[in-house]
Amino acid sequence: MPGVFFSYSHQDEHWRRSLENHLQPFEILDGLQIYSDEIIRAGELFREKILQAIILSQVAVLFLSVDFLRSKFIREIELPLIRERHKAGDLQVIPVLVQPCLWKEIPWLKDLQIRPWNAVSFAAMRPVEREEELVKIVLEILSFTRAATAPAP
């Protein structure tokens, strides 16, 4: 089952929900599994569930903002495994600029192609432009997850 992991600060939850709304039809159509901390139930081991979700995913979406960059949990728990799997070629990483922040000052982030293409944050866009960018990102996610699950020729 193809998976998408959302790495985000809770202060940016509305941006995650916006992208997730566009992706939800593909949970049924493509069997897509969307992973965020929202799927963790009471009594479950939070850290282990997050790490398992990263391992099971083909795509990780990073919702970049100052709150994302300053999150100790994201920096110390999520990103090391995301970076390791990305470096090994096992995980496609899509950084999405949702709020202005100093992402270009983070060596490993500045080398990744960011979305939106023009590096204008979602917060700075008009609503129609933002929805258009969300659609483009979903199409990109689907291209990765469908390629990862396509039968070998």
Side-chain angles (χ1 to χ4, degrees):
M1 178 181 309
V4 178
F5 179 78
F6 290 150
S7 181
Y8 68 102
S9 164
H10 284 191
Q11 285 79 5
D12 299 319
E13 186 170 338
H14 58 286
W15 302 115
R16 178 198 56 86
R17 285 190 186 278
S18 294
L19 184 58
E20 188 170 341
N21 288 341
H22 283 274
L23 268 175
Q24 279 180 336
F26 302 97
E27 286 182 301
I28 294 172
L29 293 171
D30 285 25
L32 187 64
Q33 177 67 50
I34 300 170
Y35 297 104
S36 71
D37 59 2
E38 236 181 32
I39 66 168
I40 301 171
R41 297 185 300 209
E44 291 186 319
L45 299 174
F46 183 84
R47 182 180 303 205
E48 286 76 8
K49 291 295 275 192
I50 294 287
L51 295 175
Q52 179 184 26
I54 294 169
I55 289 168
L56 294 173
S57 294
Q58 285 76 41
V59 177
V61 179
L62 314 179
F63 292 85
L64 303 182
S65 69
V66 67
D67 293 310
F68 176 93
L69 294 178
R70 67 184 203 85
S71 168
K72 184 176 179 179
F73 185 85
I74 291 171
R75 278 193 330 270
E76 294 180 5
I77 306 301
E78 293 180 3
L79 291 181
L81 182 55
I82 288 170
R83 291 179 63 203
E84 177 186 316
R85 291 200 62 229
H86 180 256
K87 188 175 180 178
D90 297 328
L91 182 69
Q92 182 65 40
V93 175
I94 302 175
V96 177
L97 186 61
V98 296
Q99 294 279 352
C101 64
L102 294 172
W103 64 275
K104 289 181 184 177
E105 299 301 316
I106 311 294
W108 70 273
L109 264 179
K110 74 176 183 175
D111 293 333
L112 296 177
Q113 179 61 51
I114 196 165
R115 297 294 178 261
W117 287 91
N118 57 6
V120 172
S121 73
F122 277 5
M125 292 180 169
R126 294 187 337 252
V128 169
E129 292 173 317
R130 192 168 40 244
E131 291 301 312
E132 290 170 348
E133 288 300 324
L134 287 167
V135 167
K136 290 175 187 176
I137 292 167
V138 167
L139 289 172
E140 198 163 12
I141 290 169
L142 293 175
S143 74
F144 293 129
T145 58
R146 288 173 175 165
T149 59

